[in-house]
C-alpha cells in the first residue's frame, strides 16, 4: 500500500464514521499521512483526529478511537496504534513480492513519488533557505528534489548568489537571494565542508556533501573517486550498472523479466546466500522505499536517501550472480523472476540517484 492509497483508506474511514453518525463533521478533501513522529510507531501516522476534533465537538483521542475502529481490519492494514493526544499510527501488511516488483517496474524511477495532478498527495508550498557555502546549496537542492517527489512546490533562497563555478560544477541554483522572507521558511544549515568539493566533479562532489548527516562534517577527498568496494558511491552506481547489464545479457539469451517466485523447483533462489543476502531482504528494502522517500522529504534530509541506496546496493550485489542460467541451464520462470527483482532494485537505485542530482550510468 502506497501513502496515497493509505490516505484514501483513512478518508474512507472518516466517511464511514460520518455516515454512521459517529462524527458530525464535513469530510475533508484529503488526509495527510507521513512518517511517525517522536513517540510514534508503525509505518505511517496521521493527525486527522486532531484536525476533526473541534468541528466534531469531541476530544481528539475519542475521534481517533472512532477512526481506529473503521481502520482496523481494512485491506492492507495490519495494526493501528493511538499515541499522544490522538495520532493514528498505522502498520501495513507487506505487499506480495511479485506484486511489489511489478509495481516498481510499472512506476519506473518515479516509484515512491506522489503526483497531485492524479489526486496523490497535496501541492503544498515549501520555502527552503540556505547559507552561502557549497554544502548548504547542494543539500537544499537535494532536499527540494525529494520534496517535489512528494508533490510539494519548492522554492530555494540563499543569503547570496551562488558562485558561478558552484552552479557549473555542482548544478546548484536558487530562486531568490537575500535574507529569509518569513518565519515559515525552512532553514537548511548543514555543517560546512572542510575543503573545496569542486575538484571531485558533480557526481562525486554532490555525494561527498550529501551522504553524511547534516550535523556531520563531510570528507572531501579522492576516496569518492576510486572505483572500489570501499567507496559507497561506486557500489551504488556499480550495482545499478550491473542490473542493466544483466537485462542486456538476458535479452541475448532470449528471455526477459517477469515478476514471480524467485525459487526454482528445488526451492533455491529466495533463501539466504553465502554472503548473507536474501530475496526477502531485497523485497523488504524495495517495499520500504516509498516510506523512506517520504521521510527524507519530511525531514529535509537527503542523507537518509543516500544511505538507503547504499543498503539497497549492498543487498542486491550478492544476489546478481543467481540471475542468469549457469552452464547448460535453460532460462526458467525463476530466472525471469530474479531478473525482474534485480531490475526493480536497479530502478530504485537509478531513481534515488536522480533525486540526489547524481548520474546513474548504464555502463560503468
Amino acid at each position: 500500500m502506497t501513502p496515497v492509497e493509505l490516505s484514501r483508506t483513512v478518508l474512507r474511514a472518516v466517511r464511514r464514521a460520518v455516515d454512521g453518525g459517529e462524527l458530525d463533521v464535513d469530510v475533508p478533501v484529503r488526509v495527510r499521512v507521513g512518517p511517525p513522529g517522536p513517540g510514534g510507531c508503525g509505518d505511517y501516522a496521521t493527525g486527522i483526529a486532531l484536525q476533526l476534533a473541534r468541528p466534531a465537538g469531541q476530544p481528539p483521542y475519542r475521534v481517533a478511537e472512532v477512526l481506529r475502529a473503521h481502520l482496523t481490519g481494512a485491506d492492507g492494514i495490519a495494526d493501528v496504534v493511538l499515541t499522544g493526544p490522538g495520532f493514528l499510527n498505522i502498520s501495513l501488511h507487506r505487499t506480495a513480492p511479485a506484486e511489489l516488483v511489478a509495481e516498481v517496474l510499472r512506476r519506473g524511477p518515479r516509484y515512491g513519488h506522489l503526483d497531485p495532478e492524479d489526486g496523490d498527495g497535496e501541492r503544498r508550498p515549501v520555502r527552503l533557505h540556505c547559507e552561502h557555502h557549497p554544502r548548504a546549496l547542494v543539500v537544499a537542492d537535494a532536499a527540494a528534489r525529494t520534496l517535489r517527489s512528494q508533490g510539494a512546490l519548492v522554492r530555494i533562497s540563499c543569503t547570496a548568489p551562488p558562485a558561478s563555478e558552484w552552479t557549473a560544477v555542482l548544478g546548484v541554483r536558487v530562486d531568490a537571494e537575500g535574507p529569509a522572507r518569513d518565519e515559515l521558511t525552512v532553514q537548511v544549515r548543514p555543517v560546512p565542508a572542510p575543503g573545496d568539493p569542486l575538484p571531485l566533479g558533480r557526481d562525486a562532489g554532490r555525494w561527498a556533501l550529501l551522504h553524511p548527516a547534516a550535523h556531520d562534517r563531510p570528507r572531501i577527498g579522492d576516496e569518492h573517486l576510486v572505483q572500489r568496494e570501499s567507496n559507497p558511491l561506486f557500489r551504488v552506481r556499480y550495482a545499478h550498472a550491473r542490473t542493466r547489464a544483466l537485462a542486456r545479457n538476458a535479452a541475448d539469451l532470449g528471455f526477459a523479466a517477469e515478476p514471480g517466485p524467485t525459487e526454482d523447483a528445488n526451492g533455491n533462489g529466495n533463501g539466504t546466500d553465502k554472503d548473507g543476502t536474501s530475496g526477502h531482504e531485497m523485497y523488504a528494502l524495495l517495499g520500504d522505499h516509498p516510506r523512506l522517500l517520504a521521510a527524507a522529504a519530511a525531514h529535509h534530509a537527503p542523507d537518509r536517501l543516500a544511505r538507503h541506496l547504499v543498503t539497497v546496493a549492498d543487498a542486491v550485489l550478492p544476489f546478481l550472480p543467481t540471475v542468469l542460467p549457469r552452464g547448460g541451464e535453460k532460462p526458467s520462470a525463476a530466472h525471469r523472476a530474479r531478473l525482474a527483482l534485480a531490475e526493480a532494485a536497479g530502478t530504485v537505485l537509478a531513481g534515488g540517484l536522480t533525486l540526489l542530482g547524481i548520474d546513474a550510468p548504464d555502463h560503468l
Side-chain angles (χ1 to χ4, degrees):
M1 180 181 288
T2 66
V4 175
E5 293 168 336
L6 178 58
S7 174
R8 292 169 181 165
T9 299
V10 177
L11 192 60
R12 286 194 293 269
V14 174
R15 188 172 291 113
R16 286 195 298 269
V18 171
D19 293 343
E22 297 168 279
L23 295 177
D24 184 12
V25 296
D26 293 329
V27 178
V29 175
R30 56 175 58 92
V31 173
R32 286 190 63 186
V33 298
C41 59
D43 298 302
Y44 294 97
T46 177
I48 185 62
L50 283 71
Q51 176 185 332
L52 298 177
R54 177 172 291 180
Q58 299 186 43
Y61 201 87
R62 172 56 188 155
V63 175
E65 288 178 324
V66 170
L67 296 179
R68 180 190 180 192
H70 289 282
L71 287 169
T72 302
D75 289 344
I77 293 181
D79 192 21
V80 182
V81 176
L82 305 187
T83 58
F87 290 103
L88 291 154
N89 297 264
I90 303 169
S91 298
L92 304 178
H93 285 302
R94 299 305 168 204
T95 304
E99 294 178 9
L100 172 63
V101 171
E103 174 68 9
V104 176
L105 296 179
R106 183 183 70 82
R107 295 294 304 274
R110 292 183 60 80
Y111 170 63
H113 291 215
L114 303 184
D115 190 353
E117 299 299 329
D118 295 332
D120 297 349
E122 181 181 1
R123 279 287 189 202
R124 58 189 183 90
V126 179
R127 294 186 292 276
L128 303 178
H129 184 75
C130 64
E131 299 170 336
H132 190 251
H133 59 83
R135 192 184 186 200
L137 283 155
V138 169
V139 171
D141 178 75
R145 291 167 182 258
T146 58
L147 282 163
R148 291 182 185 118
S149 79
Q150 302 302 295
L153 297 169
V154 188
R155 288 179 60 84
I156 303 174
S157 62
C158 183
T159 53
S164 59
E165 59 267 27
W166 299 353
T167 299
V169 177
L170 299 174
V172 293
R173 293 173 177 80
V174 298
D175 301 298
E177 297 126 12
R181 297 298 178 90
D182 55 54
E183 67 278 1
L184 298 178
T185 299
V186 177
Q187 299 287 341
V188 179
R189 293 173 175 169
V191 174
D196 183 7
L198 299 186
L200 296 177
R202 174 166 178 151
D203 292 335
R206 288 182 69 98
W207 180 269
L209 300 173
L210 291 172
H211 183 243
H215 58 268
D216 291 332
R217 189 174 298 279
R219 294 182 178 181
I220 306 297
D222 292 343
E223 66 268 23
H224 298 291
L225 296 173
V226 297
Q227 296 196 22
R228 298 175 186 165
E229 289 187 0
S230 59
N231 179 3
L233 174 60
F234 170 73
R235 296 205 304 276
V236 171
R237 299 174 86 189
Y238 178 67
H240 167 260
R242 286 282 292 119
T243 65
R244 302 306 304 143
L246 284 172
R248 295 191 296 270
N249 295 338
D252 291 339
L253 294 174
F255 76 98
E258 183 178 330
T262 57
E263 303 95 333
D264 59 21
N266 298 318
N268 299 319
N270 207 33
T272 302
D273 65 15
K274 63 184 178 62
D275 295 298
T277 297
S278 71
H280 295 299
E281 179 185 358
M282 290 175 60
Y283 288 127
L285 289 170
L286 297 182
D288 197 43
H289 183 69
R291 183 199 64 80
L292 188 286
L293 191 53
H299 295 282
H300 315 114
D303 58 282
R304 296 189 181 195
L305 175 58
R307 291 194 295 274
H308 174 65
L309 297 182
V310 176
T311 304
V312 173
D314 289 344
V316 73
L317 281 169
F319 175 80
L320 297 182
T322 71
V323 172
L324 298 179
R326 299 180 181 180
E329 277 187 300
K330 293 183 178 180
S332 66
H335 291 115
R336 291 191 289 272
R338 293 172 201 164
L339 178 61
L341 178 54
E343 288 189 8
T347 297
V348 165
L349 293 173
L353 286 171
T354 298
L355 286 176
L356 296 178
I358 296 172
D359 185 37
D362 286 352
H363 301 269
L364 194 63

